[in-house]
Amino acid sequence: MTTLALSGRGEKTLGSPLILIAEDEADIADILSGYLRRSGLRCEIAEDGRRALDLHATLKPALVLLDIQMPQLNGWQVLSEIRNRGNTPVIMLTAMDQDIDKLMGLRMGADDYVVKPFNPAEVTERVLAVLRRVSPESQKSNNQVLKVSPFHIDLETYEVFIDNPDRKQISLTMTEFKLLVQLAKSPRKVFSRAELLSHCLPESDALERTVDSHISKLRKKLENLGVKGIPSGLRGAGYRLWSQE
């Protein structure tokens, strides 16, 4: 890959979002870092998967750009551990232009993916788009709490609780959270995959069937907490929160 000469890189801005670039190819990491810094973001680079997890734990980045093919630990292993730790947004960087690989990443909790070779300016725009989605300022109803049986959804803190004596909290990715909120706002309405994709991944070029992967992962998490049959699927139409009266 040809190294691009970048000039006028922006200085690190104290308090600006920190992006962790987990990429073992130094040229690619430097190019991405340059473009992101010019957009006012801070960057740190991890050259292997183990280093990426160490930096994720200590620096708590706002977003991770994660290459799949890395030494020590590959991208799938790193993504799995990041998801075990919490909801840090992750954009996968992959040379595998296969739907199954994209679906696997989304199923494991990735927020987006970019196929190599890529335009670094496009990657920067995708990073900014994901940061806008997860930013508290992006929620116009931040001070509201959405209560729809059996959920207590805090739109300000992005926390979801099951309304039961134990008041169990659900750990969701941002995409899963946005899907649940959209369904909960009109719990009996059937949303098509295209509608859910438009509401929850507006800047993504993901296929409509990726919604199935996110819904499946959301449903499994709910089932593990004793909530069965939510979200409800209507064959050939889409999904709704629940179908009972």
Side-chain angles (χ1 to χ4, degrees):
M1 181 173 184
T2 303
T3 303
L4 303 181
L6 297 175
S7 60
R9 291 185 178 184
E11 297 294 330
K12 289 186 178 181
T13 303
L14 185 63
S16 64
L18 173 65
I19 310 302
L20 175 58
I21 304 171
E23 169 62 66
D24 64 312
E25 294 188 45
D27 286 351
I28 294 178
D30 287 342
I31 290 170
L32 289 173
S33 177
Y35 272 81
L36 292 168
R37 290 175 190 275
R38 286 169 58 182
S39 292
L41 302 171
R42 294 180 295 144
C43 295
E44 291 290 343
I45 297 173
E47 66 280 1
D48 62 63
R50 196 170 300 281
R51 177 65 173 162
L53 288 178
D54 289 343
L55 290 178
H56 176 265
T58 58
L59 300 179
K60 301 190 183 305
L63 182 144
V64 179
L65 280 173
L66 179 59
D67 186 32
I68 290 179
Q69 297 179 334
M70 289 190 300
Q72 302 292 329
L73 297 172
N74 64 39
W76 302 127
Q77 293 169 302
V78 174
L79 175 60
S80 178
E81 177 58 26
I82 288 176
R83 281 293 159 262
N84 286 336
R85 296 175 179 180
N87 302 324
T88 306
V90 176
I91 297 178
M92 304 298 291
L93 304 175
T94 173
M96 307 173 189
D97 191 11
Q98 300 288 332
D99 285 345
I100 187 64
D101 296 307
K102 299 172 185 176
L103 289 172
M104 180 177 177
L106 294 169
R107 189 175 294 116
M108 291 179 65
D111 294 85
D112 202 352
Y113 58 83
V114 180
V115 178
K116 297 178 181 179
F118 49 69
N119 182 333
E122 179 187 350
V123 177
T124 301
E125 288 305 313
R126 285 177 180 261
V127 168
L128 294 173
V130 172
L131 291 177
R132 284 195 298 269
R133 288 207 304 269
V134 302
S135 169
E137 288 75 17
S138 69
Q139 293 286 344
K140 301 303 181 182
S141 56
N142 266 352
N143 60 349
Q144 296 182 8
V145 173
L146 186 59
K147 296 181 179 180
V148 179
S149 179
F151 304 107
H152 179 105
I153 304 172
D154 192 324
L155 300 178
E156 182 174 358
T157 64
Y158 300 97
E159 295 176 317
V160 180
F161 298 88
I162 302 293
D163 283 330
N164 58 22
D166 295 330
R167 192 174 169 77
K168 294 180 179 178
Q169 184 175 357
I170 316 168
S171 178
L172 302 177
T173 67
M174 185 52 61
T175 298
E176 291 163 358
F177 177 86
K178 292 175 78 69
L179 281 170
L180 182 60
V181 168
Q182 188 62 36
L183 294 169
K185 287 179 177 178
S186 301
R188 291 295 305 277
K189 176 182 176 180
V190 177
F191 291 87
S192 69
R193 291 171 177 80
E195 286 178 306
L196 292 174
L197 193 64
S198 175
H199 284 299
C200 303
L201 290 166
E203 297 88 4
S204 175
D205 60 354
L207 302 174
E208 288 184 11
R209 63 182 177 179
T210 62
V211 171
D212 297 337
S213 297
H214 287 295
I215 290 289
S216 176
K217 193 172 183 67
L218 172 60
R219 186 181 288 140
K220 183 176 181 180
K221 289 182 178 180
L222 294 174
E223 287 177 349
N224 289 338
L225 293 176
V227 180
K228 307 294 184 180
I230 294 178
S232 172
L234 188 61
R235 188 176 182 84
Y239 297 96
R240 56 188 169 187
L241 189 66
W242 33 252
S243 57
Q244 69 268 26
E245 296 292 342

